[in-house]
Amino acid sequence: MIGRLIERLRFAREHRWAQRHMSEYLDGELDRRGRERAERHTDECVDCEELLASLRAMVKTLSGIGGEPARAVAASVFAGVHQRLAGGVGDDGSL
Amino acid sequence: MTDLSDRPVVDEATLVRRAAEGEMAAFEELVMRHADRLYAALRRFGLDDGEAQEVAQETFIRAWRGLDRFEGRSQFFTWLYRIGFNEAHRLLGRRRPAGTVVSIEERTVEDLADDAPGPATRAEQSELRVALSEALGELPSALRAPVVLRDVEGLSTEEAASVLELGEAAFKSRLHRGRMALRALIGQGPWGPPKPS
């Protein structure tokens, strides 16, 4: 009985820790002990395993957004900057 | 404007130094190197086309005036992002909250994890990226910025934390909260928490 209670408390503590550190695990920013701790918990926790898989897929899709071609605006931005600087724009952006 | 196509490639530190000395051609090249990327990041941060161009212009004007204070401790584009995102925060703060919450139909994580997608999957992923972009716009800007910089723009944790002028621990915490909020916002989608049975 006491053994099961202790085990539940341990699981709950590890669950809270894993939920807080899942992004760091995903980004490879935990040290070896942290990585092993996260992996031990996700091995035994279906919720955290699903959270990790879904975050991993979401971050992968987000990186695809960054790879999409952006509009070329550099020339018009410079033209605007040059015009405003030549026109003596004020510190608050006023002309 | 100057034709840059027949010029030798000059390293960025030299361009920054020359621009700080008042050489407009060097500054022009810095603008040409970074404006598209900054504009794209500002769009992904939630600004519309006109706002993003306006903020990009303002960013470079502030950069031009502040070049002598740029100490080179961070990369030039990181410094630009910091100026640009601060401007964008101010602009967004004056706006009313964004519109409706995005919901998309459920798809499996396995579909998304496919490394060599076929045409149908590519179309689906494209649709998912659009939905995710829209959902990003629903996040509070304090949580959206870390996600845009780290996950969309691909900056390192150190660079992104520097842009937002946060310590790394605070940045990591905010990034995680942003990802979790985005996952919750997508709700019925493939990254969301399981539906209650």
Side-chain angles (χ1 to χ4, degrees):
Chain A
M1 188 73 169
I2 290 178
R4 284 172 64 185
L5 179 61
I6 290 172
E7 173 54 23
R8 273 194 210 166
L9 290 171
R10 182 202 66 79
F11 182 88
R13 185 187 65 230
E14 291 304 293
H15 186 72
R16 283 194 302 273
W17 185 90
Q19 292 267 323
R20 278 201 308 272
H21 291 85
M22 204 59 87
S23 281
E24 286 175 82
Y25 176 76
L26 189 61
D27 296 335
E29 290 179 344
L30 290 177
D31 61 17
R32 185 179 58 80
R33 285 183 63 188
R35 278 198 309 277
E36 288 173 359
R37 187 175 177 183
E39 285 163 2
R40 270 198 306 274
H41 181 72
T42 50
D43 283 348
E44 66 179 355
C45 176
V46 174
D47 285 350
C48 284
E49 188 184 11
E50 286 179 355
L51 172 62
L52 179 60
S54 65
L55 285 179
R56 183 174 282 135
M58 190 178 80
V59 168
K60 183 182 174 188
T61 305
L62 284 167
S63 71
I65 295 172
E68 289 171 352
R71 198 176 147 205
V73 297
S76 66
V77 167
F78 180 73
V81 168
H82 194 254
Q83 188 178 21
R84 287 176 64 185
L85 289 173
V89 64
D91 281 343
D92 58 355
S94 61
L95 289 169
Chain B
M1 271 178 288
T2 317
D3 179 10
L4 304 172
S5 58
D6 55 352
R7 285 191 193 163
V9 176
V10 180
D11 72 86
E12 191 152 281
T14 303
L15 286 174
V16 170
R17 180 178 51 74
R18 286 184 187 168
E21 290 166 1
E23 189 183 312
M24 184 54 82
F27 187 63
E28 179 182 355
E29 186 152 346
L30 288 169
V31 175
M32 297 307 287
R33 284 186 187 186
H34 295 291
D36 287 348
R37 188 177 174 190
L38 176 64
Y39 166 83
L42 292 169
R43 291 300 309 272
R44 287 166 190 138
F45 188 54
L47 304 191
D48 67 25
D49 173 61
E51 290 170 335
Q53 290 206 47
E54 181 189 322
V55 169
Q57 272 190 26
E58 187 62 31
T59 299
F60 283 106
I61 286 170
R62 288 180 186 271
W64 169 257
R65 294 198 174 117
L67 273 169
D68 56 344
R69 295 192 299 275
F70 174 64
E71 296 170 347
R73 283 184 297 188
S74 60
Q75 292 194 58
F76 183 67
F77 81 84
T78 310
W79 185 61
L80 281 179
Y81 270 39
R82 189 181 308 152
I83 299 171
F85 271 62
N86 281 335
E87 284 295 316
H89 267 297
R90 276 191 281 275
L91 192 149
L92 289 173
R94 294 195 296 269
R95 255 209 222 157
R96 62 194 168 92
T100 54
V101 172
V102 174
S103 175
I104 58 176
E105 66 180 282
E106 188 165 9
R107 294 179 176 87
T108 65
V109 166
E110 289 72 20
D111 285 343
L112 291 167
D114 187 349
D115 284 327
T121 310
R122 279 202 298 274
E124 194 174 61
Q125 286 181 339
S126 173
E127 184 187 331
L128 288 166
R129 282 198 293 270
V130 170
L132 201 47
S133 296
E134 290 174 0
L136 261 178
E138 302 297 324
L139 286 182
S141 61
L143 299 183
R144 190 188 319 146
V147 176
V148 168
L149 291 169
R150 182 73 171 82
D151 294 340
V152 181
E153 295 301 313
L155 269 61
S156 68
T157 296
E158 183 183 3
E159 289 168 341
S162 168
V163 169
L164 299 178
E165 298 177 273
L166 293 171
E168 285 197 23
F171 174 83
K172 286 176 185 175
S173 168
R174 207 176 283 188
L175 172 66
H176 185 56
R177 284 167 53 213
R179 286 174 177 171
M180 295 296 278
L182 190 58
R183 178 176 178 266
L185 195 60
I186 290 294
Q188 303 305 311
W191 313 284
K195 285 177 185 173
S197 50

